Amino acid sequence: AAMSKSARFGCLCCTYDYETPKTLVIQSTKIGCMFRLVQFVVLLYVVGYVCVVRKAYQERDSVISSVTTKVKGFAYTNTSYMEPRLWDVADYVIPPQGENSFYVLTNVIMTPKQTQSRCPEVRTSALSIQTGLCVNYSATVQTCEVLSWCPLEEHTKLPKPALLNAAADFTVLIKNSITYPKFKVNRRSILPHINSSYLKKCEFNRSTDPYCPIFRLKNIASEAGEDFQDMAVKGGILGIFIDWSCDLDWGAHRCFPKYSFRRLDSKNPVNNVAPGYNFRFAKYYQTPDGQESRTLIKAYGIRFDIIVFGTGGKFGIVPTIINLGAALTILGLAPKVCDWILLTCSSKKDLYKKNKITHLNDDDTESVSN
């Protein structure tokens, strides 16, 4: 019972304890250097990383963007399996306008003069309705008769080099408009110094003309580490990345787009099932006797996805105060770190602890005052 009462008395006394910081000056080169080193590391983090790298004193806003494109170029083909033909933008850009992307036709397999009728089934094709009859496919082979668009598409070998390998020299104008609504900043990929005469002759070059918005397709593939002629055979997807990250403290006139390029579709040499990019479409006609006819086109090509991103930053009083307070708090940890090292790791930790922590009670204070 006595011990229980003593324990309760001790806990009660602790309730009324008051702690106040005590300044202990230690004249030691080693400890002084350690303290200044900790302060230097904290200041280096605050100034170098927080202020310079992250610019934490700025308010942020994400870019809002719109993109339109215009492809230019002509190609002429003259092969044994197709009549001579001139190709222009209306032929090889499908569809004419995409959502932040454009597609350029580079290779085709055509099946002309198809009509809805009955014909022998092609073994590699299952895109038809069987009639239940067996008919001659060739002199030695019989297959099921099908109701379909005849003649059926033959799975022939792709033209190599690609039929429209001249597309490598086509050009595209990318018109990109962006805004930072919080800061009321608007910019275009056609910069203020670009006029009509300059736009007719300029071409993007990372070294000599990095802000020209006109790109040659083969150079886009080259920047992405790809060979355009190889991609043109089976198609693929290339990404055009436009980075509008800007430090608006220097003014909106110093906010410029930065372009980068990358292949987006898989090109794994081990797991390369269904490589490239292709789709089918048809062009419909009417014969003189009124029958519907079409040309089926299996189109291989390169899709260019335009991906716009970026963050604008500008000085703001609120983030500045918040990060300044955080910096002062972190700086205040330097003495705590040194105290912990002194009181736990130092060879004179008992001496430091004896002088660092002093216990006084009311009787001691009265004796001191007398």
Side-chain angles (χ1 to χ4, degrees):
M3 289 182 63
S4 176
K5 182 177 179 181
S6 175
R8 289 197 300 270
F9 181 74
C11 292
L12 187 62
C13 290
C14 290
T15 304
Y16 298 105
D17 284 351
Y18 169 71
E19 296 181 358
T20 184
K22 177 181 179 180
T23 301
L24 178 64
V25 180
I26 301 174
Q27 295 182 341
S28 170
T29 303
K30 184 185 296 185
I31 297 172
C33 289
M34 179 181 63
F35 177 60
R36 298 306 177 193
L37 178 63
V38 173
Q39 285 184 320
F40 176 75
V41 170
V42 172
L43 285 173
L44 187 64
Y45 166 77
V46 172
V47 176
Y49 179 71
V50 176
C51 294
V52 177
V53 177
R54 290 193 56 219
K55 293 182 171 59
Y57 56 86
Q58 291 183 332
E59 292 182 339
R60 302 282 177 175
D61 194 15
S62 297
V63 69
I64 297 176
S65 166
S66 66
V67 176
T68 59
T69 60
K70 183 183 292 185
V71 181
K72 288 185 177 181
F74 294 91
Y76 180 77
T77 57
N78 186 6
T79 64
S80 59
Y81 49 85
M82 185 184 300
E83 294 180 358
R85 179 171 179 170
L86 178 69
W87 302 74
D88 62 11
V89 176
D91 296 314
Y92 58 72
V93 177
I94 310 165
Q97 286 295 324
E99 185 177 352
N100 293 339
S101 69
F102 63 95
Y103 174 89
V104 175
L105 183 70
T106 57
N107 214 359
V108 295
I109 296 177
M110 286 190 176
T111 308
K113 300 178 181 178
Q114 285 187 323
T115 58
Q116 290 194 14
S117 56
R118 298 169 184 258
C119 53
E121 182 180 37
V122 178
R123 290 186 174 185
T124 55
S125 175
L127 304 175
S128 49
I129 300 173
Q130 294 182 348
T131 64
L133 299 177
C134 189
V135 295
N136 291 328
Y137 176 74
S138 65
T140 58
V141 177
Q142 284 192 326
T143 61
C144 294
E145 184 185 64
V146 295
L147 177 62
S148 183
W149 285 93
C150 300
L152 298 177
E153 178 186 79
E154 295 281 353
H155 287 259
T156 57
K157 189 176 180 180
L158 269 173
K160 190 174 183 180
L163 185 67
L164 288 171
N165 58 359
D169 286 315
F170 294 172
T171 60
V172 57
L173 167 64
I174 299 178
K175 294 188 286 186
N176 176 212
S177 299
I178 65 103
T179 181
Y180 289 109
K182 180 185 288 187
F183 306 125
K184 298 180 180 179
V185 171
N186 300 287
R187 299 288 286 170
R188 297 178 67 209
S189 58
I190 302 177
L191 300 176
H193 71 273
I194 297 178
N195 54 34
S196 299
S197 59
Y198 172 79
L199 200 61
K200 290 179 181 178
K201 62 182 181 180
C202 82
E203 183 178 316
F204 174 85
N205 183 290
R206 190 170 297 281
S207 302
T208 60
D209 205 345
Y211 301 123
C212 176
I214 297 178
F215 303 82
R216 197 166 295 276
L217 300 190
K218 66 180 180 183
N219 293 340
I220 294 176
S222 178
E223 286 273 349
E226 301 291 334
D227 183 83
F228 187 92
Q229 300 298 342
D230 289 342
M231 285 191 69
V233 176
K234 293 186 177 180
I237 303 174
L238 290 173
I240 302 173
F241 297 85
I242 308 178
D243 182 6
W244 281 96
S245 296
C246 297
D247 184 355
L248 298 176
D249 286 332
W250 298 97
H253 66 282
R254 297 186 63 175
C255 183
F256 303 113
K258 293 177 280 293
Y259 299 95
S260 59
F261 311 88
R262 188 181 309 157
R263 184 166 184 171
L264 300 181
D265 62 316
S266 175
K267 202 183 74 167
N268 190 329
V270 178
N271 183 16
N272 200 25
V273 179
Y277 183 75
N278 66 81
F279 59 91
R280 290 176 176 85
F281 69 97
K283 293 187 176 181
Y284 293 86
Y285 312 94
Q286 195 170 29
T287 62
D289 59 359
Q291 186 180 21
E292 187 179 33
S293 175
R294 77 176 190 181
T295 297
L296 178 65
I297 301 172
K298 186 176 183 181
Y300 294 80
I302 302 176
R303 192 182 80 197
F304 296 83
D305 290 346
I306 303 170
I307 302 167
V308 183
F309 63 99
T311 303
K314 198 171 186 179
F315 174 81
I317 189 64
V318 173
T320 299
I321 292 174
I322 291 173
N323 284 280
L324 181 60
L328 293 175
T329 302
I330 296 173
L331 193 61
L333 293 175
K336 304 295 183 183
V337 173
C338 292
D339 283 351
W340 180 83
I341 295 174
L342 285 174
L343 299 177
T344 57
C345 304
S346 174
S347 58
K348 299 180 180 179
K349 59 183 178 180
D350 293 333
L351 175 63
Y352 294 145
K353 188 178 294 185
K354 178 180 178 182
N355 288 276
K356 176 68 177 175
I357 304 172
T358 303
H359 294 276
L360 295 175
N361 54 38
D362 289 341
D363 295 336
D364 295 330
T365 55
E366 289 176 1
S367 62
V368 171
S369 60
N370 292 330

